[in-house]
Amino acid sequence: MLANTNLISSNFFTSLLPTRTQKPRTSSLQLRNLKSTNFSLPNTTSNSKFRSLIKPHYLNNTRFLVQKCHSTLDKNQNLVEEKEEEPGLDGKGSSVLESGDGVQEGKRDWTTSILLFMLWGVLIYYVFNLAPDQTPSRDMYFLKKLLNLKGDDGFKMNEVLVSLWYIMGLWPLVYSMILLPTGRSSKSNIPVWPFLVLSCFGGAYALLPYFVLWNPPPPPVEETELIRWPLNFLESKVTAGISLAAGLGLIVYAALAGGDVWQEFFQYFRESKFIHVMSIDFTLLSTFAPFWVYHDMTARKWYDKGSWLLPVSVVPLLGPALYLLLRPSLSEVPALREASSKRK
């Protein structure tokens, strides 16, 4: 009886004592797997929620903790990948090509092209329907005299008209030197040289359709192109110097004409379709020239040194011709030298 009492009392006190939870033993294979896994856990001293999460858990909940860590790491990694793929943040994902216009690759703004096309359509309609045409026979006579198809008959041509005629012959050369090769389009199969040839007869009326279809940036220039026709002629400083000297002489010749000569020219402008259309052509070519000077300047990486020539290019013919004389040759462009050295 006494023995049974002692047994019951010992069992009673034993049941009152807190039981110690034994930590489950992990096998050597499980320990190797856990050691081989590299976890980056946050600082438990600064995060009470995370401390309360890992405090009472052992091996049974380790799998849950591992899943949470992987989920957090994957989320952060996805955020990093999305940030790297976002264009314009670090320069690696950017698709903007370095050109004079800053045009984004794969996208094109057709607003300018539509406006230019509308301008071209309005000009063509005006030339054929609204321009003054009071002296068609005299226009034919002037054209034959200017082309030297009519001999000396004692009639003296207007000095301003003669200067304008020969200046219009210099404009296609100046535009050819500006548009070839930096004015070419690499994103379309439309060449520029047919429009330049037509500009010898149609001036800006023939160049405007190319301005509508133009899609920069220009294609790369091979070194072999620089020593072949026509680039060897158009890149020559001699050609640029002759154009500048000829344009300066013609403008001075017209400026020295008397006031009566200018009044006569303005009278021709109001009556003659030939002179009226040619004067508008001269104005259009002078208006578009500064833009193409700027584009050629940025394509040659010469904007920092030659930006002072942009206001000068507003001067009809003389400004663009002066730029052509002072601009660096394509063979001196660092980007071209780097490209050629890489190909070698």
Side-chain angles (χ1 to χ4, degrees):
M1 185 67 180
L2 183 61
N4 293 333
T5 305
N6 293 333
L7 180 60
I8 294 173
S9 62
S10 63
N11 291 334
F12 175 76
F13 286 108
T14 303
S15 61
L16 292 178
L17 293 176
T19 59
R20 297 180 61 186
T21 305
Q22 295 183 357
K23 298 181 179 179
R25 296 181 180 180
T26 57
S27 63
S28 59
L29 179 60
Q30 290 177 340
L31 290 175
R32 283 197 299 269
N33 292 335
L34 291 175
K35 289 180 180 180
S36 61
T37 306
N38 187 12
F39 299 105
S40 297
L41 297 177
N43 189 6
T44 57
T45 60
S46 60
N47 194 341
S48 59
K49 293 182 179 181
F50 189 82
R51 190 189 310 116
S52 63
L53 174 65
I54 64 174
K55 181 178 179 180
H57 299 287
Y58 294 98
L59 187 60
N60 291 335
N61 289 330
T62 301
R63 181 176 300 175
F64 174 77
L65 179 61
V66 171
Q67 291 177 354
K68 292 292 290 183
C69 291
H70 276 291
S71 177
T72 305
L73 293 175
D74 292 341
K75 183 177 181 180
N76 293 334
Q77 186 176 1
N78 293 334
L79 291 176
V80 173
E81 291 177 356
E82 291 177 0
K83 186 179 292 184
E84 291 178 353
E85 291 177 358
E86 186 175 354
L89 293 179
D90 56 356
K92 296 180 181 180
S94 177
S95 62
V96 178
L97 299 177
E98 290 186 2
S99 63
D101 308 86
V103 179
Q104 189 173 1
E105 185 179 4
K107 295 182 180 180
R108 182 181 180 183
D109 186 9
W110 288 92
T111 305
T112 305
S113 298
I114 294 174
L115 292 176
L116 288 174
F117 180 76
M118 293 174 61
L119 173 64
W120 180 72
V122 170
L123 288 171
I124 295 300
Y125 180 81
Y126 178 82
V127 166
F128 287 99
N129 296 282
L130 301 178
D133 191 12
Q134 302 178 13
T135 57
S137 58
R138 189 177 64 183
D139 290 350
M140 188 60 63
Y141 173 79
F142 284 166
L143 185 59
K144 290 180 180 179
K145 289 286 288 186
L146 292 171
L147 292 173
N148 295 321
L149 299 178
K150 206 169 188 62
D152 188 10
D153 54 0
F155 179 79
K156 185 179 179 180
M157 292 291 295
N158 185 278
E159 288 87 345
V160 179
L161 175 59
V162 173
S163 299
L164 179 61
W165 171 260
Y166 287 107
I167 286 175
M168 296 306 297
L170 289 175
W171 268 123
L173 176 61
V174 171
Y175 266 87
S176 298
M177 298 176 71
I178 296 177
L179 294 179
L180 287 175
T182 58
R184 297 183 297 181
S185 179
S186 62
K187 295 184 179 180
S188 63
N189 298 324
I190 301 174
V192 63
W193 65 265
F195 299 90
L196 292 173
V197 173
L198 292 175
S199 68
C200 297
F201 309 97
Y205 306 105
L207 286 176
L208 272 172
Y210 179 75
F211 297 166
V212 173
L213 301 172
W214 177 64
N215 192 9
V221 182
E222 300 290 339
E223 288 189 47
T224 55
E225 295 184 63
L226 299 177
I227 58 177
R228 294 199 309 260
W229 172 268
L231 285 186
N232 58 352
F233 172 75
L234 298 176
E235 288 287 322
S236 174
K237 298 300 181 183
V238 177
T239 308
I242 293 175
S243 302
L244 178 60
L248 181 61
L250 291 171
I251 291 178
V252 170
Y253 177 72
L256 294 178
D260 296 338
V261 177
W262 280 95
Q263 290 181 2
E264 183 184 30
F265 176 78
F266 289 136
Q267 184 66 28
Y268 290 159
F269 177 79
R270 291 190 295 266
E271 299 174 353
S272 170
K273 187 172 188 175
F274 167 61
I275 299 176
H276 189 89
V277 171
M278 184 169 57
S279 300
I280 295 177
D281 189 10
F282 173 81
T283 305
L284 290 172
L285 293 173
S286 303
T287 303
F288 286 110
F291 168 77
W292 292 108
V293 167
Y294 167 76
H295 174 73
D296 185 79
M297 184 184 299
T298 53
R300 295 171 188 264
K301 313 298 181 184
W302 199 56
Y303 180 77
D304 295 336
K305 296 181 179 180
S307 58
W308 64 274
L309 286 170
L310 287 178
V312 181
S313 64
V314 179
V315 180
L317 189 69
L318 297 182
L322 180 62
Y323 165 76
L324 294 174
L325 182 64
L326 299 179
R327 70 179 181 178
S329 176
L330 283 175
S331 58
E332 301 175 5
V333 178
L336 180 63
R337 290 202 303 266
E338 293 176 1
S340 60
S341 61
K342 289 180 181 179
R343 286 194 297 269
K344 291 179 181 179

